[in-house]
Amino acid sequence: MRPARRRPRWRFPLRLTREGVWYCLITLGVGAAAMNTGNNLLYLVFGMLLGLIVASGVMSDVTLRRLEVRRHALSRIFAGRTFLMGMSVANRKRRAPSFSVEVEDMLEPGPLEKRCFFLKIPARRSQQTSYRYQFARRGCYALTGFRAATKFPFALFRKS
């Protein structure tokens, strides 16, 4: 008996944005019109629209690759009081900068509602920012990780 095959996982999960839904609908409409009429110009436009979707996926994949995120508690943390949490993102790529990166902390059940936004992280450099947060009650809070996301370059997809 063979072992069950695992479904392949995407390296970076993606989600369509509102603009991406409209773009995909227009692309499907142009593709249907090209198939219906047989017009070569519509096939050319359809191919260019599909190529833009592929280019968006590849460029956003390159943006998120080889990023290193670190967390720094900048002050003491007390229940019911606001504290600063520092975030630093280092781009470990040799040449390519990372654009429009949004990083959020992951708490035990899900992500925090606070996000840090980095417009451009040059190659072999790092940037820092901080956010304010307040825990309602005392206790242990497990900050389990990070989620880095981008809509770069055309905001058709949100890849994280």
Side-chain angles (χ1 to χ4, degrees), residues 91-98 120-126:
N91 185 358
R92 299 292 180 211
K93 293 187 282 284
R94 285 186 181 181
R95 296 187 188 121
S98 292
K120 179 184 177 185
I121 307 167
R124 297 183 182 174
R125 299 257 175 94
S126 65

Side-chain angles (χ1 to χ4, degrees), residues 23-73:
Y23 187 83
C24 289
L25 288 175
I26 289 170
T27 302
L28 288 174
V30 169
M35 296 290 282
N36 191 25
T37 63
N39 190 344
N40 288 340
L41 184 60
L42 285 178
Y43 279 116
L44 180 68
V45 171
F46 180 59
M48 287 175 30
L49 291 172
L50 288 177
L52 196 69
I53 290 174
V54 171
S56 173
V58 169
M59 290 173 73
S60 63
D61 199 31
V62 168
T63 295
L64 289 177
R65 192 175 301 146
R66 299 195 64 192
L67 290 180
E68 185 178 294
V69 182
R70 292 181 190 260
R71 178 185 309 117
H72 312 283

Side-chain angles (χ1 to χ4, degrees), residues 3-141:
R5 294 178 81 188
R6 281 185 52 188
R7 241 178 69 198
R9 261 188 91 197
W10 288 71
R11 180 179 170 122
F12 298 116
L14 61 99
R15 199 174 45 112
L16 271 172
T17 61
R18 185 178 65 230
E19 296 85 6
V21 169
W22 282 105
Y23 187 83
C24 289
L25 288 175
I26 289 170
T27 302
L28 288 174
V30 169
M35 296 290 282
N36 191 25
T37 63
N39 190 344
N40 288 340
L41 184 60
L42 285 178
Y43 279 116
L44 180 68
V45 171
F46 180 59
M48 287 175 30
L49 291 172
L50 288 177
L52 196 69
I53 290 174
V54 171
S56 173
V58 169
M59 290 173 73
S60 63
D61 199 31
V62 168
T63 295
L64 289 177
R65 192 175 301 146
R66 299 195 64 192
L67 290 180
E68 185 178 294
V69 182
R70 292 181 190 260
R71 178 185 309 117
H72 312 283
L74 300 179
S75 63
R76 293 184 180 180
I77 300 173
F78 297 101
R81 298 180 90 189
T82 305
F83 65 92
L84 279 177
M85 181 69 77
M87 300 281 262
S88 66
V89 177
N91 185 358
R92 299 292 180 211
K93 293 187 282 284
R94 285 186 181 181
R95 296 187 188 121
S98 292
F99 295 99
S100 181
V101 177
E102 185 178 274
V103 179
E104 60 186 338
D105 258 331
M106 301 295 284
L107 201 60
E108 185 79 23
L112 289 176
E113 64 269 6
K114 301 290 186 175
R115 296 179 180 161
C116 297
F117 186 77
F118 299 91
L119 186 61
K120 179 184 177 185
I121 307 167
R124 297 183 182 174
R125 299 257 175 94
S126 65
Q127 288 188 356
Q128 296 180 14
T129 189
S130 61
Y131 66 88
R132 295 184 185 278
Y133 194 71
Q134 175 180 347
F135 290 117
R137 287 181 255 129
R138 293 179 62 184
C140 291
Y141 292 91

